[in-house]
Amino acid sequence: MNVFFEKRGSSPLIVSMPHSGTHLPDGMAERMTETARGLPDTDWHVPELYDFLDDLGASMIRATHSRYVIDLNRDPTGASLYPGQATTELVPTTLFDGSPVYRPGEEPDEAEIEQRRTAYYDPYHRALTEMIVKVRMEHGYVVLWDAHSILDEVPRLFEGVLPDLNLGTNGGESCDRTIERWAVKAMMDHEDYASIVNGRFKGGWITRAYGRPGLNVHALQMELAQSAYMDEGEPWTFSEDKAGRLRLALKDTMKAALKAAAMLYSGEVK
């Protein structure tokens, strides 16, 4: 199986989905705990939620394999992106709730971690890099949108209930402030949703590594509370009614970011 799926579009927008994959390589499931085999920390149904990307002319890349194989949104050196806060590793050994991914004695060693980095991590990031280069050559700039979702309540990772829409720009460093402002306004105009910018999730490795406004690459991460598009109880049950409403907010926010970028590079906004 390919480690990612990609599709080229016609606009400056690229959408990355690093955590929606569910495939496990042969033999891995047998090493995992029963709970982990259910893949509870998956960004469930994110490709289905973003079914409107063709309308925006977006290029898209999404992982096919589970984040438990290797986390494509972590620093490849293994350094924490949130020092002092609970998180999961490049090759996770714990679930978000802190329980183990692997049965005792089945955890991957350094050699296996390196093998996974070579087989899964490097190809995804090489393809994403190539896509960014091609889109920037064609349009002069790139708006990179990193698409994620998570359970509303994960006490080990954050207190209370997560807002519905969590936009991250690495504290304003991964995209131009004009693009951030326009995106935030469009997001907050959808008052039915609780929203925040640069809260608990201000952007993972993809946002931080690729967002280079000085090089005309503007990266934003959107972390969604899963209750905004899935039914309560079973976190993997997609709700078309909820998703239909949420798509409007997502599409408006992405269109605002694209419009701001177009005006910025046409000289209409300085």
Side-chain angles (χ1 to χ4, degrees):
M1 174 180 283
N2 292 333
V3 301
F4 60 86
F5 171 82
E6 63 179 332
K7 182 178 181 180
R8 279 298 310 275
S10 58
S11 80
L13 177 64
I14 296 174
V15 178
S16 167
M17 302 178 184
H19 291 157
S20 61
T22 57
H23 185 71
L24 298 173
D26 291 346
M28 183 171 166
E30 291 75 12
R31 299 166 57 190
M32 297 165 66
T33 64
E34 182 178 355
T35 301
R37 285 196 293 271
L39 310 180
D41 303 327
T42 300
D43 291 8
W44 293 106
H45 304 296
V46 164
E48 186 176 358
L49 177 65
Y50 282 87
D51 68 355
F52 56 85
L53 294 182
D54 285 349
D55 297 342
L56 301 180
S59 297
M60 185 269 290
I61 180 169
R62 61 173 173 83
T64 56
H65 287 63
S66 169
R67 67 186 300 157
Y68 298 145
V69 179
I70 194 164
D71 194 326
L72 301 172
N73 200 33
R74 294 292 184 269
D75 187 325
T77 69
S80 175
L81 298 176
Y82 294 94
Q85 294 178 291
T87 186
T88 52
E89 312 102 310
L90 177 67
V91 174
T93 58
T94 60
L95 305 179
F96 285 169
D97 66 6
S99 61
V101 171
Y102 295 93
R103 295 161 54 200
E106 296 288 354
E107 300 86 353
D109 59 17
E110 286 300 321
E112 184 177 355
I113 291 172
E114 181 58 33
Q115 184 275 329
R116 293 190 194 184
R117 190 159 32 214
T118 300
Y120 303 103
Y121 189 99
D122 293 348
Y124 187 92
H125 284 274
R126 188 160 50 244
L128 178 56
T129 299
E130 291 173 358
M131 187 177 286
I132 289 171
V133 170
K134 290 176 181 177
V135 171
R136 185 175 58 180
M137 288 179 62
E138 182 176 351
H139 297 280
Y141 62 93
V142 174
V143 175
L144 173 61
W145 183 277
D146 204 38
H148 296 266
S149 74
I150 192 171
L151 286 171
D152 304 38
E153 296 183 69
V154 187
R156 179 170 171 259
L157 300 186
F158 51 84
E159 294 181 359
V161 179
L162 194 71
D164 302 303
L165 307 175
N166 300 264
L167 191 68
T169 61
N170 194 27
E173 295 183 9
S174 66
C175 78
D176 186 275
R177 290 288 189 178
T178 298
I179 297 173
E180 179 190 79
R181 282 196 297 271
W182 282 50
V184 170
K185 181 183 184 304
M187 176 178 70
M188 292 189 170
D189 280 346
H190 287 265
E191 297 179 355
D192 290 343
Y193 296 107
S195 57
I196 193 171
V197 59
N198 292 314
R200 172 61 178 87
F201 297 100
K202 65 180 184 179
W205 176 252
I206 289 172
T207 304
R208 302 183 198 196
Y210 293 99
R212 293 289 183 268
L215 298 177
N216 301 344
V217 180
H218 305 273
L220 306 93
Q221 175 179 292
M222 177 61 81
E223 185 81 62
L224 299 169
Q226 290 179 342
S227 65
Y229 69 96
M230 290 195 283
D231 291 332
E232 299 291 342
E234 295 292 337
W236 47 86
T237 304
F238 189 75
S239 170
E240 186 57 49
D241 287 342
K242 289 183 177 182
R245 295 189 294 272
L246 182 58
R247 287 181 183 120
L248 296 176
L250 291 172
K251 194 171 184 178
D252 283 350
T253 304
M254 297 167 88
K255 287 170 68 175
L258 283 169
K259 185 175 181 180
M263 294 179 70
L264 190 67
Y265 285 96
S266 70
E268 295 181 60
V269 176
K270 296 182 180 179

PDB file of all heavy atoms in Angstrom, residues 34-59:
ATOM      1  N   GLU A  34      -5.456  -4.110  23.036  1.00  0.00           N
ATOM      2  CA  GLU A  34      -6.794  -4.171  22.432  1.00  0.00           C
ATOM      3  C   GLU A  34      -7.348  -2.768  22.198  1.00  0.00           C
ATOM      4  O   GLU A  34      -7.955  -2.485  21.164  1.00  0.00           O
ATOM      5  CB  GLU A  34      -7.732  -4.969  23.323  1.00  0.00           C
ATOM      6  CG  GLU A  34      -9.128  -5.130  22.751  1.00  0.00           C
ATOM      7  CD  GLU A  34     -10.029  -5.974  23.630  1.00  0.00           C
ATOM      8  OE1 GLU A  34      -9.541  -6.522  24.635  1.00  0.00           O
ATOM      9  OE2 GLU A  34     -11.234  -6.067  23.308  1.00  0.00           O
ATOM     10  N   THR A  35      -7.158  -1.873  23.151  1.00  0.00           N
ATOM     11  CA  THR A  35      -7.652  -0.502  22.999  1.00  0.00           C
ATOM     12  C   THR A  35      -6.971   0.200  21.834  1.00  0.00           C
ATOM     13  O   THR A  35      -7.633   0.858  21.022  1.00  0.00           O
ATOM     14  CB  THR A  35      -7.420   0.300  24.291  1.00  0.00           C
ATOM     15  OG1 THR A  35      -8.099  -0.336  25.369  1.00  0.00           O
ATOM     16  CG2 THR A  35      -7.925   1.726  24.146  1.00  0.00           C
ATOM     17  N   ALA A  36      -5.668   0.057  21.730  1.00  0.00           N
ATOM     18  CA  ALA A  36      -4.931   0.731  20.663  1.00  0.00           C
ATOM     19  C   ALA A  36      -5.325   0.216  19.288  1.00  0.00           C
ATOM     20  O   ALA A  36      -5.321   0.977  18.302  1.00  0.00           O
ATOM     21  CB  ALA A  36      -3.432   0.566  20.878  1.00  0.00           C
ATOM     22  N   ARG A  37      -5.680  -1.065  19.196  1.00  0.00           N
ATOM     23  CA  ARG A  37      -6.076  -1.618  17.898  1.00  0.00           C
ATOM     24  C   ARG A  37      -7.340  -0.951  17.358  1.00  0.00           C
ATOM     25  O   ARG A  37      -7.608  -0.998  16.159  1.00  0.00           O
ATOM     26  CB  ARG A  37      -6.271  -3.129  18.004  1.00  0.00           C
ATOM     27  CG  ARG A  37      -4.974  -3.902  18.086  1.00  0.00           C
ATOM     28  CD  ARG A  37      -5.185  -5.380  17.794  1.00  0.00           C
ATOM     29  NE  ARG A  37      -5.978  -6.047  18.812  1.00  0.00           N
ATOM     30  CZ  ARG A  37      -5.469  -6.615  19.902  1.00  0.00           C
ATOM     31  NH1 ARG A  37      -4.151  -6.601  20.105  1.00  0.00           N
ATOM     32  NH2 ARG A  37      -6.260  -7.215  20.780  1.00  0.00           N
ATOM     33  N   GLY A  38      -8.102  -0.314  18.235  1.00  0.00           N
ATOM     34  CA  GLY A  38      -9.259   0.448  17.789  1.00  0.00           C
ATOM     35  C   GLY A  38      -8.917   1.810  17.215  1.00  0.00           C
ATOM     36  O   GLY A  38      -9.800   2.529  16.747  1.00  0.00           O
ATOM     37  N   LEU A  39      -7.635   2.187  17.253  1.00  0.00           N
ATOM     38  CA  LEU A  39      -7.119   3.446  16.686  1.00  0.00           C
ATOM     39  C   LEU A  39      -7.886   4.668  17.216  1.00  0.00           C
ATOM     40  O   LEU A  39      -8.343   5.517  16.442  1.00  0.00           O
ATOM     41  CB  LEU A  39      -7.172   3.411  15.154  1.00  0.00           C
ATOM     42  CG  LEU A  39      -6.572   2.176  14.480  1.00  0.00           C
ATOM     43  CD1 LEU A  39      -6.694   2.302  12.965  1.00  0.00           C
ATOM     44  CD2 LEU A  39      -5.116   1.982  14.889  1.00  0.00           C
ATOM     45  N   PRO A  40      -8.021   4.805  18.537  1.00  0.00           N
ATOM     46  CA  PRO A  40      -8.888   5.844  19.088  1.00  0.00           C
ATOM     47  C   PRO A  40      -8.446   7.277  18.812  1.00  0.00           C
ATOM     48  O   PRO A  40      -9.283   8.190  18.854  1.00  0.00           O
ATOM     49  CB  PRO A  40      -8.862   5.558  20.595  1.00  0.00           C
ATOM     50  CG  PRO A  40      -7.572   4.835  20.829  1.00  0.00           C
ATOM     51  CD  PRO A  40      -7.386   4.000  19.608  1.00  0.00           C
ATOM     52  N   ASP A  41      -7.175   7.514  18.527  1.00  0.00           N
ATOM     53  CA  ASP A  41      -6.686   8.884  18.338  1.00  0.00           C
ATOM     54  C   ASP A  41      -6.636   9.312  16.875  1.00  0.00           C
ATOM     55  O   ASP A  41      -6.033  10.332  16.531  1.00  0.00           O
ATOM     56  CB  ASP A  41      -5.294   9.032  18.966  1.00  0.00           C
ATOM     57  CG  ASP A  41      -5.295   8.679  20.448  1.00  0.00           C
ATOM     58  OD1 ASP A  41      -6.318   8.933  21.111  1.00  0.00           O
ATOM     59  OD2 ASP A  41      -4.277   8.138  20.930  1.00  0.00           O
ATOM     60  N   THR A  42      -7.290   8.554  16.012  1.00  0.00           N
ATOM     61  CA  THR A  42      -7.334   8.870  14.587  1.00  0.00           C
ATOM     62  C   THR A  42      -8.137  10.149  14.344  1.00  0.00           C
ATOM     63  O   THR A  42      -9.108  10.432  15.047  1.00  0.00           O
ATOM     64  CB  THR A  42      -7.981   7.703  13.821  1.00  0.00           C
ATOM     65  OG1 THR A  42      -7.203   6.523  14.032  1.00  0.00           O
ATOM     66  CG2 THR A  42      -8.069   7.985  12.331  1.00  0.00           C
ATOM     67  N   ASP A  43      -7.760  10.906  13.330  1.00  0.00           N
ATOM     68  CA  ASP A  43      -8.556  12.057  12.877  1.00  0.00           C
ATOM     69  C   ASP A  43      -9.669  11.505  11.979  1.00  0.00           C
ATOM     70  O   ASP A  43      -9.617  11.597  10.747  1.00  0.00           O
ATOM     71  CB  ASP A  43      -7.692  13.049  12.104  1.00  0.00           C
ATOM     72  CG  ASP A  43      -6.689  13.773  12.978  1.00  0.00           C
ATOM     73  OD1 ASP A  43      -6.547  13.414  14.161  1.00  0.00           O
ATOM     74  OD2 ASP A  43      -6.030  14.695  12.458  1.00  0.00           O
ATOM     75  N   TRP A  44     -10.689  10.960  12.607  1.00  0.00           N
ATOM     76  CA  TRP A  44     -11.716  10.213  11.888  1.00  0.00           C
ATOM     77  C   TRP A  44     -12.466  11.065  10.873  1.00  0.00           C
ATOM     78  O   TRP A  44     -12.880  12.183  11.165  1.00  0.00           O
ATOM     79  CB  TRP A  44     -12.722   9.614  12.865  1.00  0.00           C
ATOM     80  CG  TRP A  44     -12.150   8.553  13.739  1.00  0.00           C
ATOM     81  CD1 TRP A  44     -11.845   8.637  15.066  1.00  0.00           C
ATOM     82  CD2 TRP A  44     -11.786   7.214  13.342  1.00  0.00           C
ATOM     83  NE1 TRP A  44     -11.311   7.457  15.519  1.00  0.00           N
ATOM     84  CE2 TRP A  44     -11.261   6.568  14.479  1.00  0.00           C
ATOM     85  CE3 TRP A  44     -11.842   6.523  12.128  1.00  0.00           C
ATOM     86  CZ2 TRP A  44     -10.814   5.248  14.447  1.00  0.00           C
ATOM     87  CZ3 TRP A  44     -11.391   5.195  12.098  1.00  0.00           C
ATOM     88  CH2 TRP A  44     -10.885   4.581  13.246  1.00  0.00           C
ATOM     89  N   HIS A  45     -12.616  10.506   9.658  1.00  0.00           N
ATOM     90  CA  HIS A  45     -13.480  11.063   8.599  1.00  0.00           C
ATOM     91  C   HIS A  45     -13.063  12.447   8.110  1.00  0.00           C
ATOM     92  O   HIS A  45     -13.874  13.131   7.472  1.00  0.00           O
ATOM     93  CB  HIS A  45     -14.939  11.134   9.084  1.00  0.00           C
ATOM     94  CG  HIS A  45     -15.490   9.832   9.549  1.00  0.00           C
ATOM     95  ND1 HIS A  45     -15.665   8.746   8.713  1.00  0.00           N
ATOM     96  CD2 HIS A  45     -15.897   9.424  10.786  1.00  0.00           C
ATOM     97  CE1 HIS A  45     -16.167   7.741   9.404  1.00  0.00           C
ATOM     98  NE2 HIS A  45     -16.304   8.112  10.666  1.00  0.00           N
ATOM     99  N   VAL A  46     -11.838  12.850   8.364  1.00  0.00           N
ATOM    100  CA  VAL A  46     -11.417  14.178   7.907  1.00  0.00           C
ATOM    101  C   VAL A  46     -11.475  14.298   6.378  1.00  0.00           C
ATOM    102  O   VAL A  46     -11.956  15.306   5.856  1.00  0.00           O
ATOM    103  CB  VAL A  46     -10.019  14.533   8.468  1.00  0.00           C
ATOM    104  CG1 VAL A  46      -9.398  15.694   7.722  1.00  0.00           C
ATOM    105  CG2 VAL A  46     -10.142  14.887   9.947  1.00  0.00           C
ATOM    106  N   PRO A  47     -11.020  13.297   5.599  1.00  0.00           N
ATOM    107  CA  PRO A  47     -11.166  13.428   4.136  1.00  0.00           C
ATOM    108  C   PRO A  47     -12.620  13.569   3.696  1.00  0.00           C
ATOM    109  O   PRO A  47     -12.922  14.336   2.766  1.00  0.00           O
ATOM    110  CB  PRO A  47     -10.547  12.124   3.606  1.00  0.00           C
ATOM    111  CG  PRO A  47      -9.582  11.707   4.662  1.00  0.00           C
ATOM    112  CD  PRO A  47     -10.250  12.088   5.957  1.00  0.00           C
ATOM    113  N   GLU A  48     -13.524  12.849   4.354  1.00  0.00           N
ATOM    114  CA  GLU A  48     -14.939  12.955   4.011  1.00  0.00           C
ATOM    115  C   GLU A  48     -15.487  14.331   4.364  1.00  0.00           C
ATOM    116  O   GLU A  48     -16.292  14.912   3.621  1.00  0.00           O
ATOM    117  CB  GLU A  48     -15.725  11.870   4.744  1.00  0.00           C
ATOM    118  CG  GLU A  48     -17.188  11.774   4.362  1.00  0.00           C
ATOM    119  CD  GLU A  48     -17.895  10.613   5.041  1.00  0.00           C
ATOM    120  OE1 GLU A  48     -17.231   9.852   5.788  1.00  0.00           O
ATOM    121  OE2 GLU A  48     -19.116  10.475   4.835  1.00  0.00           O
ATOM    122  N   LEU A  49     -15.067  14.868   5.491  1.00  0.00           N
ATOM    123  CA  LEU A  49     -15.510  16.199   5.897  1.00  0.00           C
ATOM    124  C   LEU A  49     -15.078  17.250   4.888  1.00  0.00           C
ATOM    125  O   LEU A  49     -15.846  18.152   4.534  1.00  0.00           O
ATOM    126  CB  LEU A  49     -14.940  16.533   7.283  1.00  0.00           C
ATOM    127  CG  LEU A  49     -15.258  17.916   7.832  1.00  0.00           C
ATOM    128  CD1 LEU A  49     -16.752  18.081   8.076  1.00  0.00           C
ATOM    129  CD2 LEU A  49     -14.470  18.162   9.119  1.00  0.00           C
ATOM    130  N   TYR A  50     -13.841  17.140   4.406  1.00  0.00           N
ATOM    131  CA  TYR A  50     -13.305  18.117   3.460  1.00  0.00           C
ATOM    132  C   TYR A  50     -13.590  17.691   2.018  1.00  0.00           C
ATOM    133  O   TYR A  50     -12.714  17.791   1.144  1.00  0.00           O
ATOM    134  CB  TYR A  50     -11.802  18.264   3.664  1.00  0.00           C
ATOM    135  CG  TYR A  50     -11.390  19.110   4.853  1.00  0.00           C
ATOM    136  CD1 TYR A  50     -11.252  18.552   6.123  1.00  0.00           C
ATOM    137  CD2 TYR A  50     -11.121  20.467   4.708  1.00  0.00           C
ATOM    138  CE1 TYR A  50     -10.852  19.314   7.216  1.00  0.00           C
ATOM    139  CE2 TYR A  50     -10.718  21.241   5.785  1.00  0.00           C
ATOM    140  CZ  TYR A  50     -10.589  20.658   7.034  1.00  0.00           C
ATOM    141  OH  TYR A  50     -10.186  21.427   8.105  1.00  0.00           O
ATOM    142  N   ASP A  51     -14.815  17.280   1.741  1.00  0.00           N
ATOM    143  CA  ASP A  51     -15.128  16.803   0.392  1.00  0.00           C
ATOM    144  C   ASP A  51     -15.324  17.930  -0.615  1.00  0.00           C
ATOM    145  O   ASP A  51     -15.608  17.678  -1.789  1.00  0.00           O
ATOM    146  CB  ASP A  51     -16.369  15.902   0.426  1.00  0.00           C
ATOM    147  CG  ASP A  51     -17.654  16.660   0.758  1.00  0.00           C
ATOM    148  OD1 ASP A  51     -17.597  17.872   1.064  1.00  0.00           O
ATOM    149  OD2 ASP A  51     -18.741  16.019   0.722  1.00  0.00           O
ATOM    150  N   PHE A  52     -15.174  19.164  -0.168  1.00  0.00           N
ATOM    151  CA  PHE A  52     -15.379  20.328  -1.026  1.00  0.00           C
ATOM    152  C   PHE A  52     -14.079  20.887  -1.614  1.00  0.00           C
ATOM    153  O   PHE A  52     -14.086  21.945  -2.258  1.00  0.00           O
ATOM    154  CB  PHE A  52     -16.065  21.441  -0.227  1.00  0.00           C
ATOM    155  CG  PHE A  52     -15.311  21.839   1.015  1.00  0.00           C
ATOM    156  CD1 PHE A  52     -14.279  22.760   0.971  1.00  0.00           C
ATOM    157  CD2 PHE A  52     -15.631  21.271   2.243  1.00  0.00           C
ATOM    158  CE1 PHE A  52     -13.575  23.119   2.110  1.00  0.00           C
ATOM    159  CE2 PHE A  52     -14.948  21.620   3.396  1.00  0.00           C
ATOM    160  CZ  PHE A  52     -13.911  22.542   3.328  1.00  0.00           C
ATOM    161  N   LEU A  53     -12.969  20.210  -1.407  1.00  0.00           N
ATOM    162  CA  LEU A  53     -11.674  20.784  -1.787  1.00  0.00           C
ATOM    163  C   LEU A  53     -11.550  21.035  -3.284  1.00  0.00           C
ATOM    164  O   LEU A  53     -10.861  21.970  -3.708  1.00  0.00           O
ATOM    165  CB  LEU A  53     -10.535  19.893  -1.296  1.00  0.00           C
ATOM    166  CG  LEU A  53     -10.378  19.799   0.221  1.00  0.00           C
ATOM    167  CD1 LEU A  53      -9.185  18.922   0.578  1.00  0.00           C
ATOM    168  CD2 LEU A  53     -10.234  21.176   0.851  1.00  0.00           C
ATOM    169  N   ASP A  54     -12.194  20.220  -4.098  1.00  0.00           N
ATOM    170  CA  ASP A  54     -12.145  20.462  -5.542  1.00  0.00           C
ATOM    171  C   ASP A  54     -12.757  21.812  -5.889  1.00  0.00           C
ATOM    172  O   ASP A  54     -12.336  22.465  -6.848  1.00  0.00           O
ATOM    173  CB  ASP A  54     -12.876  19.344  -6.290  1.00  0.00           C
ATOM    174  CG  ASP A  54     -12.089  18.043  -6.339  1.00  0.00           C
ATOM    175  OD1 ASP A  54     -10.895  18.064  -5.968  1.00  0.00           O
ATOM    176  OD2 ASP A  54     -12.665  17.017  -6.737  1.00  0.00           O
ATOM    177  N   ASP A  55     -13.763  22.234  -5.104  1.00  0.00           N
ATOM    178  CA  ASP A  55     -14.393  23.539  -5.355  1.00  0.00           C
ATOM    179  C   ASP A  55     -13.405  24.680  -5.159  1.00  0.00           C
ATOM    180  O   ASP A  55     -13.574  25.763  -5.746  1.00  0.00           O
ATOM    181  CB  ASP A  55     -15.583  23.747  -4.414  1.00  0.00           C
ATOM    182  CG  ASP A  55     -16.690  22.735  -4.627  1.00  0.00           C
ATOM    183  OD1 ASP A  55     -16.718  22.091  -5.688  1.00  0.00           O
ATOM    184  OD2 ASP A  55     -17.528  22.578  -3.708  1.00  0.00           O
ATOM    185  N   LEU A  56     -12.403  24.463  -4.321  1.00  0.00           N
ATOM    186  CA  LEU A  56     -11.396  25.491  -4.044  1.00  0.00           C
ATOM    187  C   LEU A  56     -10.140  25.305  -4.904  1.00  0.00           C
ATOM    188  O   LEU A  56      -9.185  26.069  -4.760  1.00  0.00           O
ATOM    189  CB  LEU A  56     -11.015  25.461  -2.560  1.00  0.00           C
ATOM    190  CG  LEU A  56     -12.144  25.689  -1.554  1.00  0.00           C
ATOM    191  CD1 LEU A  56     -11.609  25.635  -0.130  1.00  0.00           C
ATOM    192  CD2 LEU A  56     -12.849  27.011  -1.809  1.00  0.00           C
ATOM    193  N   GLY A  57     -10.146  24.298  -5.756  1.00  0.00           N
ATOM    194  CA  GLY A  57      -8.972  24.039  -6.594  1.00  0.00           C
ATOM    195  C   GLY A  57      -7.773  23.567  -5.807  1.00  0.00           C
ATOM    196  O   GLY A  57      -6.622  23.743  -6.229  1.00  0.00           O
ATOM    197  N   ALA A  58      -8.011  22.952  -4.646  1.00  0.00           N
ATOM    198  CA  ALA A  58      -6.910  22.606  -3.746  1.00  0.00           C
ATOM    199  C   ALA A  58      -6.134  21.389  -4.212  1.00  0.00           C
ATOM    200  O   ALA A  58      -6.704  20.434  -4.756  1.00  0.00           O
ATOM    201  CB  ALA A  58      -7.460  22.336  -2.346  1.00  0.00           C
ATOM    202  N   SER A  59      -4.839  21.419  -3.958  1.00  0.00           N
ATOM    203  CA  SER A  59      -4.033  20.208  -3.987  1.00  0.00           C
ATOM    204  C   SER A  59      -4.171  19.552  -2.617  1.00  0.00           C
ATOM    205  O   SER A  59      -4.396  20.225  -1.608  1.00  0.00           O
ATOM    206  CB  SER A  59      -2.566  20.518  -4.269  1.00  0.00           C
ATOM    207  OG  SER A  59      -2.416  21.100  -5.547  1.00  0.00           O
TER     208      SER A  59
END
